[in-house]
């Protein structure tokens, strides 16, 4: 992996060097060793110190900049405007940063198919093609646009600020009161993780300011009725809760299992305003993605208006990863969770949010998106 990474960096540097040599070469034809010190000093003053650096150094500088800083750099001169728009450069940023993104949704999901496209020849500059071919390439492989569209730090600038605890309080009110928006929660992450999300939510008194703990009947969702030793046995043996929610009727022509929801699940799906799918994002487990895709689709199709119900996918791990502890439980990036669940194929609004069950990190961000997607206005109480 490290070797491929270095090879990719070499391709980018070679591409940037060819581009600079073609369009920003010395116009007077003089080689550097033929110029006087005064001429070289004047050139550096005119072009800027950064532009006079070797391309490899320029590339290393850009790798330390944030997306917004790179865009600001491109606004400083014609040279940097051209350099920062290099398509391979942003493909590199996508491959490097995308696994660390904490959330993705139906608007910002990048086109992952373009990352499978072959690299251009190392001896071919990005601008060595015919004009028509280049236009087609820009439309088809605009890595810069895909990066800026999907990067969470860029997306956060579009959203209004909101008080964290007001969001959480609103969410609790909507779960407990039948007259308010209601959400059905289901998914393998509710049973397979070492830490129970439902139990953590019920006992999170710092985040759930309730006078009394809501009973199972008050929570409008589909949760497991396994308790104590039964639940522990189900987790250890990797038994799925889907047998209590669905009936397996066979497989379709594509090899996907066909499920039929139980009458109770059908009733719940018809009256809720959205769905929360708890996915197990710990990459050390064997995943039946086809089964999970089928379960999500069958519940969405049970809704009164299937395409309008928002779907929040909580991509959960039990605990924060520790660099000091050797563990095989790494997180599956949210972008790949979305792809494996075939979420881009849905007509519903959806979002995948990285969540740590033990600390509930990321949970509030996902809930605030769900409320907004349900038409709930989140008011900022700050002055």
């Amino acid at each position: 992996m490290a070797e491929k990474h270095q090879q990719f960096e070499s391709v980018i540097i070679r591409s940037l060097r060819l581009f600079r040599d073609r369009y920003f070469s010395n116009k007077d034809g003089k080689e550097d060793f033929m110029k006087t010190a005064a001429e070289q000093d004047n050139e550096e003053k005119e072009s800027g110190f950064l532009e006079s650096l070797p391309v490899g150094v320029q590339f290393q500088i850009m790798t330390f900049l944030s997306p917004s800083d790179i865009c600001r750099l491109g606004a400083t001169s014609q040279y940097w405007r051209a350099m920062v728009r290099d398509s391979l450069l942003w493909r590199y940023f996508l491959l490097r940063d995308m696994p660390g993104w904490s959330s993705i949704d139906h608007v910002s999901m990048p086109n992952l198919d373009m990352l499978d496209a072959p690299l251009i020849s190392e001896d071919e500059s990005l601008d060595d093609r015919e004009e028509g071919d280049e236009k087609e390439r820009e439309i088809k492989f605009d890595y810069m646009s895909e990066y800026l569209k999907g990067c969470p730090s860029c997306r956060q600038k579009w959203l209004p600020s909101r008080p964290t605890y007001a969001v959480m309080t609103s969410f609790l009110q909507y779960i407990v009161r039948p007259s308010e928006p209601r959400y059905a929660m289901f998914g393998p992450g509710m049973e397979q993780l070492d830490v129970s999300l439902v139990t953590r939510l019920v006992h999170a008194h710092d985040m759930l300011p309730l006078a009394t703990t809501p009973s199972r009947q008050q929570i409008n969702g589909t949760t497991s009725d396994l308790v104590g030793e039964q639940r522990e046995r189900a987790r250890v043996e990797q038994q799925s809760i889907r047998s209590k929610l669905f009936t397996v009727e066979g497989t379709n022509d594509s090899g996907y299992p066909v499920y039929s929801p139980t009458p109770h699940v059908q009733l719940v799906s018809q009256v809720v305003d959205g769905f929360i799918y708890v996915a197990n994002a710990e990459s050390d487990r064997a995943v039946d993605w086809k089964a999970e895709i089928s379960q999500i689709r069958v519940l969405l199709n049970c809704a009164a208006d299937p395409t309008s119900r928002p779907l929040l996918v909580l991509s959960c791990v039990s605990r924060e990863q520790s660099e000091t502890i050797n563990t095989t439980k790494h997180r599956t990036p949210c972008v790949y969770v979305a792809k494996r669940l075939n979420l881009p194929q849905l007509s519903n609004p959806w979002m995948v949010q990285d969540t740590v069950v033990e600390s509930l990190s990321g949970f509030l961000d996902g809930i605030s998106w769900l409320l907004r997607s349900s038409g709930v206005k989140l008011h900022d109480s700050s002055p």
Side-chain angles (χ1 to χ4, degrees), residues 115-243:
L115 297 178
D116 296 329
L119 293 174
I120 63 172
S121 170
E122 295 186 8
D123 298 325
E124 179 184 8
S125 172
L126 292 176
D127 292 80
D128 281 348
R129 308 177 183 87
E130 297 293 333
E131 181 178 358
D133 183 38
E134 178 61 26
K135 288 182 178 178
E136 180 182 355
R137 174 78 57 150
E138 286 181 356
I139 295 174
K140 196 173 182 181
F141 302 111
D142 191 353
Y143 297 104
M144 180 179 181
S145 296
E146 293 295 316
Y147 185 99
L148 297 178
K149 178 181 71 174
C151 179
S153 62
C154 299
R155 284 187 279 128
Q156 287 298 323
K157 297 180 181 179
W158 310 340
L159 301 177
S161 59
R162 78 285 189 200
T164 301
Y165 287 98
V167 172
M168 195 62 204
T169 303
S170 299
F171 171 65
L172 290 172
Q173 294 172 350
Y174 298 148
I175 285 185
V176 175
R177 298 178 182 178
S179 60
E180 298 291 347
R182 293 164 293 179
Y183 304 99
M185 179 183 290
F186 68 106
M190 299 179 66
E191 294 297 330
Q192 296 175 352
L193 297 173
D194 295 336
V195 183
S196 168
L197 177 61
V198 175
T199 303
R200 183 67 183 88
L201 286 174
V202 169
H203 295 286
H205 301 297
D206 56 331
M207 301 179 71
L208 304 178
L210 297 179
T212 59
T213 301
S215 65
R216 183 177 301 277
Q217 289 74 19
Q218 288 179 297
I219 299 179
N220 292 288
T222 55
T223 62
S224 171
D225 58 2
L226 298 178
V227 293
E229 294 182 359
Q230 290 179 324
R231 183 186 182 279
E232 180 65 17
R233 184 167 59 253
R235 183 189 66 79
V236 174
E237 297 176 359
Q238 295 296 306
Q239 296 175 350
S240 177
I241 189 62
R242 64 173 176 264
S243 61

Side-chain angles (χ1 to χ4, degrees), residues 345-360:
Q345 308 302 322
L346 296 177
S347 300
N348 306 66
W350 58 266
M351 178 185 186
V352 180
Q353 173 66 53
D354 283 352
T355 305
V356 179
V357 176
E358 188 175 56
S359 64
L360 294 180

Side-chain angles (χ1 to χ4, degrees), residues 92-135:
Y92 170 84
F93 290 149
L94 262 177
L95 291 171
R96 183 195 67 179
D97 299 341
M98 193 170 58
W101 290 353
S102 60
S103 65
I104 204 72
D105 60 26
H106 62 289
V107 176
S108 58
M109 179 71 179
N111 180 9
L112 299 184
D113 292 337
M114 65 168 52
L115 297 178
D116 296 329
L119 293 174
I120 63 172
S121 170
E122 295 186 8
D123 298 325
E124 179 184 8
S125 172
L126 292 176
D127 292 80
D128 281 348
R129 308 177 183 87
E130 297 293 333
E131 181 178 358
D133 183 38
E134 178 61 26
K135 288 182 178 178

Side-chain angles (χ1 to χ4, degrees), residues 18-86:
L18 289 172
F19 178 82
R20 184 174 75 168
D21 292 344
R22 165 167 291 196
Y23 293 100
F24 295 93
S25 58
N26 299 323
K27 295 181 180 180
D28 56 6
K30 291 184 179 180
E31 299 292 340
D32 289 342
F33 65 85
M34 297 176 60
K35 297 179 181 179
T36 64
E39 288 176 326
Q40 293 184 11
D41 185 59
N42 289 335
E43 272 195 1
E44 288 187 2
K45 289 181 179 179
E46 291 176 2
S47 62
F49 174 72
L50 288 178
E51 295 180 17
S52 64
L53 294 175
V55 172
V57 177
Q58 293 177 354
F59 168 72
Q60 292 298 327
I61 291 174
M62 286 189 284
T63 60
F64 287 99
L65 300 179
S66 66
S68 57
D69 289 336
I70 293 178
C71 293
R72 293 189 186 99
L73 177 62
T76 59
S77 68
Q78 182 181 7
Y79 172 81
W80 282 112
R81 181 179 181 275
M83 294 293 277
V84 302
R85 291 186 64 83
D86 185 292

